Each structure stands twice: as structure tokens, then as C-alpha cells.
């Protein structure tokens, strides 16, 4: 769960701006109208389940979404950077010459998969990470919340580790280049202690742009998960499609022998990939080979004569396909308690989906 996300000197965001999921006093007083999300280990911490940013065109709303993307990219990919690779996520504010040489700063506070509250900060320019820090919060026997350091890094200095940090320290620090996040490097070298932090920052939130590629992949991904498990997920989606009168009786998933004609994955030799990359590739191929067909009633004139069960999902209307993609994504997010980020909300959601939510 997201608590707060702060952004400084990124694209149109000049000074520090904070997106907070902490409720105001007014909202706390109206919990019957605005149910809050309780955090079990932190009894005084309750979070909003929904937040919206609105404003005029070019106010910077979409750049908050892009900041989430940039943070995720740095955490997920920076361990692969070589000497001299630029930190392109340093998209500084361009309309004030004093900001060109200033760093971009991302600060995020969240609840990890281990139900601990974390605070993570990175400050960087085009060439190097200037500052990186990870803390977590513990609740004492008296109920007091204390912030504890896991590690703090400043450019040109040795990393300062807290007593609670577990796993290799100096060997990984020595192999962490100036343009690489220590968190990213430590995870690449199998530090499982940091996994809840890495997991949230890379997989804990989904950003939807509702592009054609997103709609296609999301529906295949959901169908793969639904067909691999014995759960009711596909049944729930089928019922939702019936309720909005799409004409679809049900969806079914099957496996194709080959990838769709419009998709090609760059071929790499197995020996060029590590175990993690091999697993990611195989899962991606398996997802892309999942084919979804829709069943409709079949008529002869006015007489219903049976079912047409092999209608390609790609030939359904854009509104129906978007509904399936968004509804299935939300089902997965709600099940995992993850964060779902949507840009241009009013243009993205089917009216029936809004009502359903």
C-alpha cells in the first residue's frame, strides 16, 4: 500500500510535490462515507483506498504517473548499467536554468509485502546517485513508532548500514557503480532481506495507459492465471460481462502452439541468460501463447440454434476489450492489495465499470 510519494525537479514538477494517501481530519471524521484501509501492525495508520488528482491541462498530473514509472525503472534496471550509462530519469525542470544541474529526488513511503512500513529515497543527476536511503518503522511495546535505518548512502562516502540490515554489505557496496542503486544491485546478488522493498517498487503497483498493447497483454495474462488455477476468477469476469450486456456468454482460454503473428520475441541463447531471465522469458512466452475466445449465441434468422464459441477476443469492440482488461487487472490488484495507477481516468473507464467499482 502506498502512503506517500514525493517528487522534486522532474519534468514539469519544479519544487517538491507530495501525493499522500493519508486522510485529512475531515475525512477521518466521515469514515462511514469514506471507509479507510487499516494497517494491522500500525493501529493508528489508516489509508485512503482511492485518490484522484485533477487540474487544468499541462498542470503536471501525468508527470506524477511518469515519476512512478521512472522510479520503478531505476530500481528494476539500474544494476545492469555499465560505467558511463546516463540516468535518463533525471528529467529536470527545463524552464528555469538554475534547475539543470540540480538532482531529481523521489521519496516514497509504503507498506511492503511483509506488512512493514518503509521509507525509501533516491536523489540523482544524469551521472550518479547522490543519495539513497532506506528506513523502516517499528512499533515499541508502548505503541510508539520509531524509524530505524537499514542503509544510507551519500556520493563519495561509504554506505552506512543500520544494525537491522541483513545480508552482504561491503562486497556488494564495492561492486555498486556510482550510477547504480544499491537496492537494485543487492537484489541482483540475491539479498532476500530486501525483497519486500524491491517487490513493491517493481511489482507492487500497476500503471495502466490502456493502449492496445496493454489491453491485449492484460487479458492474456489474466486468462493464463485463471486457467492455471482452480479459482473462480474467470467465472466472476464472465458474470460481469453478462451484467453489462456485451452479448458475451462466457470467455474461455486455450494455449496456442506458436506466438501470435503480430508478436516477436528477440531470440537469445539460453547460455546468455541467467536463471531469473530464463524464468521471466518462459513465463512471458507462456502468457503470450494464451488465446482467449468469446462465446456468443448463434442464430438462423430469428431462431437461436446454438453457440458460436470461437469468436476471437480481438474482434470484440474496443469498449468490451477495455472493460475486460481493466476489470481483470482490478481483480488481481484487489486480491493482492496492490496499487493501481490510471491516467486520464474519465477517458479510460467504461461507465458500467465505474458503477461496478
Amino acid at each position: 500500500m502506498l502512503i506517500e510519494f514525493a517528487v522534486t525537479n522532474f519534468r514539469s514538477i519544479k519544487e517538491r510535490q507530495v501525493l499522500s494517501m493519508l486522510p485529512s481530519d475531515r475525512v477521518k471524521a466521515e469514515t462511514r462515507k469514506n471507509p479507510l484501509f487499516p494497517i494491522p501492525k500500525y493501529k493508528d495508520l489508516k489509508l485512503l483506498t482511492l485518490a484522484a488528482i485533477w487540474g487544468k491541462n499541462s498542470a503536471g498530473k501525468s508527470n506524477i504517473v511518469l515519476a512512478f514509472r521512472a522510479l520503478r525503472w531505476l530500481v528494476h534496471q539500474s544494476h545492469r548499467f555499465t560505467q558511463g550509462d546516463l540516468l535518463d530519469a533525471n528529467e529536470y525542470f527545463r524552464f528555469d536554468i538554475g534547475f539543470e544541474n540540480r538532482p531529481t529526488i523521489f521519496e516514497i513511503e509504503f507498506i511492503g509485502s511483509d506488512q512493514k512500513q518503509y521509507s525509501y529515497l533516491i536523489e540523482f543527476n544524469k551521472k550518479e546517485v547522490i543519495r539513497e536511503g532506506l528506513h523502516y518503522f517499528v512499533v515499541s511495546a508502548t505503541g510508539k513508532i520509531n524509524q530505524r535505518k537499514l542503509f544510507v548512502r551519500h556520493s563519495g562516502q561509504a554506505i552506512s548500514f543500520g544494525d537491522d540490515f541483513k545480508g552482504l554489505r561491503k562486497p556488494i557496496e564495492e561492486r555498486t557503480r556510482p550510477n547504480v542503486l544499491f537496492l537494485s544491485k543487492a537484489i541482483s546478488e540475491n539479498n532476500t532481506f530486501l525483497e519486500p522493498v524491491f517487490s513493491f517498487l517493481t511489482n507492487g503497483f500497476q500503471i495502466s495507459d490502456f493502449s492496445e498493447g496493454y489491453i491485449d497483454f492484460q487479458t492474456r495474462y489474466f486468462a493464463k492465471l485463471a486457467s492455471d488455477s482452480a479459482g473462480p476468477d474467470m467465472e466472476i469476469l464472465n458474470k460481469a460481462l453478462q451484467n453489462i450486456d456485451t452479448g458475451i456468454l462466457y470467455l474461455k482460454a486455450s494455449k496456442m502452439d506458436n506466438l501470435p503473428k503480430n508478436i516477436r520475441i528477440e531470440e537469445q541463447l539460453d547460455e546468455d541468460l541467467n536463471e531469473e531471465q530464463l524464468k521471466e522469458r518462459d513465463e512471458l512466452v507462456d502468457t503470450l501463447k494464451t488465446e482467449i475466445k468469446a462465446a456468443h449465441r448463434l442464430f438462423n434468422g430469428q431462431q437461436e440454434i446454438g453457440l458460436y464459441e470461437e469468436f476471437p477476443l480481438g474482434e470484440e469492440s474496443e469498449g468490451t476489450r477495455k472493460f475486460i482488461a481493466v476489470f481483470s487487472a482490478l481483480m488481481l490488484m484487489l486480491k493482492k492489495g496492490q496499487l493501481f495507477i490510471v491516467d486520464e481516468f474519465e477517458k479510460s473507464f467504461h461507465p458500467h465499470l465505474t458503477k461496478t467499482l
Side-chain angles (χ1 to χ4, degrees):
M1 292 288 293
L2 176 69
I3 300 174
E4 289 190 333
F5 182 44
V7 181
T8 305
N9 192 26
F10 179 77
R11 297 176 69 88
S12 66
I13 301 168
K14 183 179 179 180
E15 305 293 348
R16 187 174 186 266
Q17 299 293 324
V18 182
L19 169 65
S20 179
M21 300 300 286
L22 294 170
S24 66
D25 289 339
R26 179 178 61 81
V27 172
K28 288 179 182 177
E30 299 178 355
T31 51
R32 289 184 180 179
K33 297 179 182 178
N34 305 284
L36 301 176
F37 192 93
I39 306 301
K41 288 189 176 181
Y42 304 87
K43 64 177 182 178
D44 295 327
L45 181 60
K46 293 182 173 62
L47 302 175
L48 300 173
T49 57
L50 177 68
I53 306 172
W54 68 93
K56 63 183 180 180
N57 289 339
S58 302
K61 303 184 297 294
S62 295
N63 287 334
I64 290 288
V65 179
L66 291 176
F68 273 107
R69 288 187 189 276
L71 172 62
R72 180 169 64 184
W73 176 74
L74 285 168
V75 172
H76 195 262
Q77 297 293 334
S78 70
H79 70 276
R80 295 174 176 164
F81 294 174
T82 58
Q83 196 68 36
D85 284 348
L86 295 179
L87 295 166
D88 291 330
N90 172 234
E91 298 186 66
Y92 54 84
F93 183 79
R94 295 179 183 272
F95 303 132
D96 185 330
I97 59 174
F99 277 72
E100 180 175 353
N101 296 316
R102 294 189 189 183
T104 295
I105 305 173
F106 295 147
E107 306 161 72
I108 190 164
E109 205 165 303
F110 60 94
I111 303 297
S113 58
D114 56 356
Q115 296 302 305
K116 290 181 181 178
Q117 180 180 346
Y118 290 96
S119 175
Y120 182 60
L121 175 147
I122 56 174
E123 180 178 345
F124 59 97
N125 57 27
K126 287 287 185 190
K127 295 182 179 180
E128 66 173 344
V129 177
I130 298 170
R131 192 163 49 120
E132 180 183 9
L134 178 64
H135 296 77
Y136 81 110
F137 298 83
V138 295
V139 182
S140 68
T142 61
K144 184 180 179 181
I145 297 178
N146 299 304
Q147 179 175 286
R148 303 282 289 270
K149 176 177 69 176
L150 291 175
F151 71 84
V152 173
R153 166 193 184 186
H154 291 275
S155 176
Q157 300 178 21
I159 295 178
S160 172
F161 293 94
D163 294 336
D164 297 336
F165 184 90
K166 297 178 182 178
L168 287 176
R169 302 184 182 193
K170 280 297 177 184
I172 296 179
E173 178 184 353
E174 291 169 358
R175 291 193 288 270
T176 302
R177 296 186 176 91
N179 60 344
V180 172
L181 295 178
F182 177 79
L183 172 62
S184 180
K185 185 65 175 176
I187 286 291
S188 73
E189 300 203 13
N190 298 319
N191 183 314
T192 56
F193 171 71
L194 295 173
E195 185 60 39
V197 177
F198 181 81
S199 178
F200 177 85
L201 295 174
T202 55
N203 298 311
F205 52 88
Q206 184 172 140
I207 304 169
S208 176
D209 57 8
F210 299 104
S211 64
E212 187 62 35
Y214 170 84
I215 291 172
D216 180 68
F217 183 80
Q218 174 58 37
T219 50
R220 291 178 188 275
Y221 177 64
F222 176 79
K224 175 187 179 301
L225 293 182
S227 58
D228 287 350
S229 69
D233 291 355
M234 189 64 84
E235 183 180 337
I236 294 170
L237 176 57
N238 286 333
K239 186 174 181 180
L241 288 169
Q242 293 164 14
N243 288 341
I244 67 169
D245 197 23
T246 59
I248 296 175
L249 298 177
Y250 56 85
L251 299 174
K252 63 176 184 178
S254 60
K255 295 291 183 184
M256 298 184 292
D257 294 331
N258 300 305
L259 289 171
K261 293 180 181 179
N262 63 327
I263 295 175
R264 187 179 70 86
I265 294 180
E266 182 181 347
E267 292 186 7
Q268 290 178 291
L269 297 175
D270 286 358
E271 54 263 32
D272 293 336
L273 303 174
N274 59 36
E275 185 177 345
E276 177 189 354
Q277 291 169 328
L278 283 170
K279 183 180 178 182
E280 288 178 354
R281 184 196 64 183
D282 292 344
E283 288 181 352
L284 175 61
V285 169
D286 193 36
T287 298
L288 294 173
K289 284 184 177 180
T290 303
E291 187 176 26
I292 309 155
K293 298 288 181 68
H296 288 261
R297 290 184 174 87
L298 184 65
F299 292 86
N300 183 0
Q302 297 297 316
Q303 183 181 359
E304 184 177 337
I305 60 173
L307 296 177
Y308 189 101
E309 296 185 284
E310 299 294 322
F311 192 75
L313 189 63
E315 295 184 29
E316 295 286 352
S317 72
E318 181 184 357
T320 297
R321 289 184 292 111
K322 187 180 288 187
F323 180 94
I324 293 169
V326 178
F327 190 88
S328 62
L330 285 166
M331 284 177 64
L332 297 175
M333 293 297 102
L334 291 170
K335 191 180 278 189
K336 297 177 182 178
Q338 292 179 321
L339 176 65
F340 193 47
I341 303 168
V342 182
D343 199 7
E344 301 287 359
F345 185 95
E346 74 285 357
K347 296 180 181 178
S348 303
F349 276 41
H350 190 293
H352 289 296
L353 181 56
T354 305
K355 184 178 179 181
T356 301
L357 291 175

